[in-house]
Each structure stands twice: as C-alpha cells, then as structure tokens.
Amino acid sequence: MLAASSCVVPCRAEEPFTPNFSDPQARLEKPDLGARQSLRFIADDDFPPFHSAAPGGGLAGFDVDLARAVCETLKLSCTIQARRYDTLRETLEKGEADVILGSIRVDAKSRETLDFSQPYARAPARFARLRQSPLVEATPETLRGKFVGVIAKSAHEAYLADFFKAATRKPYPSLEALTAALKAGEIDVAFADGTALSFWLQSGDGQCCAFSGGPYLESRYFGEGIAFALKKDDPALRQALDYALAQLFARGVAADLYLKYFPVNVY
C-alpha cells in the first residue's frame, strides 16, 4: 500500500512506478449483492484525467474505465452518467444513482454523510522548478529564503505556511498564472496539485520545467485519497467495491489504466 509522506519530508520515487493502494495481505471475500444486477455511476464532466466529457458524448477517463472494470469483476451491468457537480450528492440521496466517481474529497467532514471505498488514487502535492535550477530537492532547508509560488487560499498555501515558514510565498489566482510565473523565472519553485502539474510538464509549454523532490501526501491538507462515494446504508456495496478494486490492483488492471492516463509519474 502506498504510504503517505510525513509532513516535512516527502516520499520520493527514484524510478517511475505504478501505485498500488490495495493491501496485498488482505484476503477479501466477494460479498453477496443479492438481487442487484447493475451499478449506476455518476460524475461531473470536469475532472480530467479522472473523468471528463468525451468527444462523442458521455464521460471518459481513468475513473470511467476503472468503474467499468469494477462492474466486469462483479459481473454486473454498468451505467455511467454525467451530472453537474452540485447535484451529485442529491442524485445519490434520491436513489437515482449508486456510486459517485471520485469527485468528492475524502475527509472527516464528507465521511459524516457518505461512505467511501478504499482509495484507488491520491492527489499528491508537488514542487516544480525550471530544469536548469539547482533546486532538485525541495525541503524546508533548501527553500529557505526562496520564492515559492502557490495558488492563493489553497490547501497548498496552508501547507507552505505551516511547514515552509522560511520560504517566501507568492500567491497566484490560478494554475495558469502560477506556471507562467515559474516559466518566466518570477519564482524559484511552484507548489500545486501534482496531477495538474504533471500534465502541464508534458505539454509543450511545460518542457521548461520538472518536478523537484517527491510527492507530499499529508491527508490533513490534501485529503485521504480519491475513492468511490456511496450512501452510508449500503455496506454490502462498499465491501463489493473494495473487493473489486483489490482484484483489479492484484491483476495489474489498475496499473495498466494508470499508465494509460498518467504518462508522467505523479508520485
């Protein structure tokens, strides 16, 4: 199982790898789903590469393919429909869907009203630098007195404020403004969502830059991971989702999907 980093010393992957969020020692039994014959998934269409609008209509992305693989593993039919983000919980509560794809932040507050499967991905925070920069490592000491760009009022800014007190924070209104500042040399490093940064780094505009150090996965700031959300009164379904995810990790299916959608190693 991929472990979270400590608050100030990041986990670091020397070589690209495919994360495994399933406990290989666990031996989950396939639960009895009774007369259930299908699963109804919903998601918004603006969370690439996890789920977004497909060119021909409907949804496409990592979550979508993973959901279909879950249904195949459980031998259930599968529907996946797009809904506005602000209607996802209501649709679930009305019984018009069974599972929300990984749109909902998993934390103590969301757990008050929803249940979640085991995580199948994380949202690591990462530092990025200009390729010629000597700041290959990003630590409180190496960034002492350096200008660190961050999106204003984000969890990433709060994290910097708590653990990189000797760095000078420069807030920006958006990821686009942040990466433009890094490319222009206005800041020494940028600190933001690792997935978003990874896709910028592989774009033509991001060839100037590279990750600095490893991922930060502190759940208090960046959530407990990305998981399927469902109603609290359906423990059999949660167990079935966990069983299916464990099977997909064990068989390498989840790893293949990760490589398909995340060509730059986020972790």
Side-chain angles (χ1 to χ4, degrees):
M1 182 181 293
L2 187 69
S5 71
S6 64
C7 288
V8 295
V9 180
C11 301
R12 184 175 178 187
E14 297 296 342
E15 299 293 339
F17 71 102
T18 54
N20 186 342
F21 296 94
S22 179
D23 182 356
Q25 303 302 318
R27 294 293 181 264
L28 300 179
E29 297 292 331
K30 183 178 180 179
D32 182 5
L33 291 176
R36 190 190 295 269
Q37 297 182 344
S38 65
L39 280 180
R40 300 166 297 169
F41 292 87
I42 55 173
D44 65 286
D45 63 0
D46 191 26
F47 189 31
F50 292 96
H51 43 265
S52 56
L59 292 169
F62 177 83
D63 282 355
V64 177
D65 285 357
L66 189 67
R68 292 193 177 108
V70 164
C71 290
E72 182 179 346
T73 300
L74 297 175
K75 295 180 169 50
L76 299 173
S77 63
C78 194
T79 61
I80 304 172
Q81 296 184 334
R83 293 286 190 274
R84 289 199 329 268
Y85 181 82
D86 61 350
T87 68
L88 292 175
R89 292 187 186 226
E90 180 183 2
T91 302
L92 186 69
E93 290 167 1
K94 287 182 176 179
E96 297 173 359
D98 302 305
V99 184
I100 301 173
L101 296 183
S103 305
I104 308 297
R105 178 184 170 95
V106 186
D107 57 23
K109 183 174 179 58
S110 60
R111 287 187 182 279
E112 293 175 1
T113 56
L114 293 169
D115 201 358
F116 292 92
S117 70
Q118 69 171 60
Y120 53 79
R122 296 293 298 266
R126 297 294 301 264
F127 287 96
R129 58 169 170 56
L130 290 170
R131 286 190 178 274
Q132 65 268 29
S133 169
L135 293 171
V136 176
E137 296 292 341
T139 68
E141 186 57 39
T142 61
L143 296 183
R144 179 179 297 275
K146 303 297 185 182
F147 290 99
V148 181
V150 67
I151 296 175
K153 300 180 181 178
S154 64
H156 302 85
E157 184 175 26
Y159 188 87
L160 289 176
D162 286 343
F163 297 108
F164 288 78
K165 299 179 184 296
T168 301
R169 298 190 307 277
K170 292 192 69 175
Y172 291 87
S174 66
L175 181 67
E176 292 74 17
L178 175 61
T179 54
L182 178 62
K183 188 174 181 180
E186 297 175 9
I187 52 178
D188 294 296
V189 292
F191 188 56
D193 175 73
T195 302
L197 283 176
S198 74
F199 280 87
W200 176 70
L201 290 174
Q202 71 174 334
S203 70
D205 189 52
Q207 294 299 305
C208 60
C209 301
F211 281 136
S212 180
Y216 290 78
L217 295 164
E218 174 55 54
S219 61
R220 185 159 66 94
Y221 295 84
F222 310 121
E224 299 174 24
I226 297 172
F228 297 129
L230 62 155
K231 292 194 292 187
K232 277 185 167 292
D233 61 357
D234 203 347
L237 178 56
R238 178 182 51 76
Q239 293 166 16
L241 293 172
D242 285 349
Y243 167 83
L245 287 170
Q247 293 294 308
L248 295 174
F249 278 112
R251 292 175 5 223
V253 175
D256 289 343
L257 291 176
Y258 176 83
L259 293 174
K260 174 182 176 181
Y261 286 101
F262 300 94
V264 174
N265 182 22
V266 179
Y267 303 96

